Amino acid sequence: MKLIIKKDFAWAHGGSDVHQYAKGQRIETDDADLARVAQDEGWAEPAEWDDPIPAREPTKEELLGMREALMRYECELQERADRLGEQARANQAEAERLQQLAADHVAEDKRLVDAAAQLVTDRAAFEAAKPAAPAPTAGKGKAAAA
């Protein structure tokens, strides 16, 4: 139902959601109780209109308050952007440090693999060059050899 408010009043929708209505305000409501009581009390009268309900123009003080709030929000956003930029630079430096560490570990692993391969080669050469042990000629070893 469409109503035009004739007198300022407050209405608790659902028993707790209080709305203030001002003289001259146009409202559309599906709340039958609101429509009935507002008309019975002389707070509102039925109305018809085809144009959309006009938005109330903000006052100069409200506009200035909104402007200040926007400027504060812009400053907050800039501070956040600066902090994020600093964090991104720190993250990039850490990524580069970790890449260098990984490269160092790969080089160290290759050095260890090469050293192990050289050890195997040296051990094989040592074993091949070692003369066969002579048979014992005296003592306990001689009795074991016989």
Side-chain angles (χ1 to χ4, degrees), residues 132-138 141-142 145:
T137 56
K142 184 175 180 184

Side-chain angles (χ1 to χ4, degrees), residues 15-138:
S16 62
D17 187 16
V18 178
H19 284 249
Q20 295 289 334
Y21 296 99
K23 181 179 179 179
Q25 184 178 359
R26 299 189 316 181
I27 64 169
E28 288 186 55
T29 182
D30 294 327
D31 188 335
D33 288 335
L34 167 63
R36 181 181 50 76
V37 171
Q39 290 178 69
D40 290 350
E41 295 293 326
W43 300 337
E45 62 187 9
E48 289 298 325
W49 61 81
D50 293 329
D51 61 325
I53 297 174
R56 182 181 67 80
E57 290 293 321
T59 65
K60 182 178 180 181
E61 291 78 21
E62 290 172 329
L63 289 172
L64 289 173
M66 287 185 245
R67 181 173 179 252
E68 288 176 22
L70 284 172
M71 290 173 66
R72 280 192 307 273
Y73 187 63
E74 182 181 9
C75 289
E76 289 173 14
L77 288 177
Q78 185 60 50
E79 289 171 2
R80 285 185 200 166
D82 292 345
R83 284 193 306 270
L84 288 173
E86 290 171 16
Q87 186 63 47
R89 285 187 293 280
N91 289 346
Q92 181 63 35
E94 180 66 6
E96 290 169 3
R97 186 186 73 78
L98 291 173
Q99 279 181 322
Q100 184 58 49
L101 244 144
D104 292 347
H105 282 289
V106 167
E108 181 65 13
D109 288 348
K110 183 178 179 337
R111 188 189 68 74
L112 290 173
V113 166
D114 291 346
Q118 184 62 46
L119 183 62
V120 169
T121 303
D122 291 350
R123 178 73 178 183
F126 176 76
E127 291 295 327
K130 189 165 69 170
T137 56

